Amino acid sequence: MNLSLIKGVAKSTNEIKKDYIYFCFEGIKVDGHDFIDAAFEAGAIYVVGTKDIKRTNYFKVDDIVESFNNISLEVYGQPKDISIVGVTGTDGKTSTALIINQLLGKFENSSYLGTSGLIINGVEEEYSGMTTPFANV
C-alpha cells in the first residue's frame, strides 16, 4: 500500500472520493465488507477490512479501529495545539455549545459540531454525519 497516493479516508461509501481508502467497519445492522464493490466504484484506491477476502487492493488487518486511526494520522497529519470542550447534561447542551463557540471565536479559531450541524470559524459547513464523529471528520 502506497500511503502517498491516498487523498482521504472513509468509513462509509457515501464519504468516498477519488483515491480515498475505505475501511470496512462492522456494525450491528451493517457490515462494511458488503460495500467493497461500491467503495471501488466510488473511487476508493484501497479497501481495508478484517475478513479474508481475495481482492486486488484489499488489505486484511486485525484491528480496524487502530488501522483507521493510524492511516488517518498519516493522511491528515497530527492536529497541533487543539483544545476540545464537551458539553453534557439533560437540557441546554446545544445553546451552551453554540455560545461557547461564539465566545471562543472572538479570540481564536473555533468550531462547533453538534445538533445544529458543523460550524468552522463562523462558517456553517455541510455535514450529515454523526454528532460524535470519528477522527477523520
Side-chain angles (χ1 to χ4, degrees):
M1 181 184 308
N2 184 344
L3 294 179
S4 67
L5 297 177
I6 300 170
K7 304 287 188 248
V9 299
K11 60 189 182 322
S12 166
T13 54
N14 296 330
E15 302 168 348
I16 297 173
K17 296 178 183 168
K18 185 174 178 354
D19 296 333
Y20 267 45
I21 183 170
Y22 170 68
F23 288 83
C24 301
F25 281 87
E26 295 181 62
I28 295 170
K29 296 181 180 179
V30 177
D31 182 350
H33 295 87
D34 294 338
F35 299 94
I36 292 174
D37 289 336
F40 283 119
E41 288 170 13
I45 190 169
Y46 300 117
V47 171
V48 177
T50 56
K51 295 183 177 180
D52 288 319
I53 296 174
K54 300 249 187 264
R55 175 112 191 218
T56 303
N57 290 346
Y58 173 85
F59 297 89
K60 181 185 180 215
V61 296
D62 293 326
D63 188 331
I64 196 77
V65 174
E66 180 182 6
S67 297
F68 179 86
N69 292 340
N70 290 338
I71 291 179
S72 291
L73 281 173
E74 288 292 325
V75 172
Y76 297 116
Q78 178 70 39
K80 295 179 178 67
D81 299 325
I82 187 172
S83 298
I84 298 174
V85 176
V87 179
T88 63
T90 304
D91 293 315
K93 292 181 295 295
T94 299
S95 298
T96 301
L98 287 167
I99 291 167
I100 290 170
N101 183 51
Q102 287 179 346
L103 289 171
L104 289 174
K106 301 282 184 194
F107 303 102
E108 59 188 60
N109 291 334
S110 179
S111 298
Y112 162 89
L113 175 62
T115 305
S116 293
L118 174 63
I119 302 169
I120 300 175
N121 296 324
V123 178
E124 289 187 40
E125 301 286 340
E126 184 178 326
Y127 181 74
S128 60
M130 308 284 266
T131 56
T132 306
F134 268 73
N136 72 321
V137 169

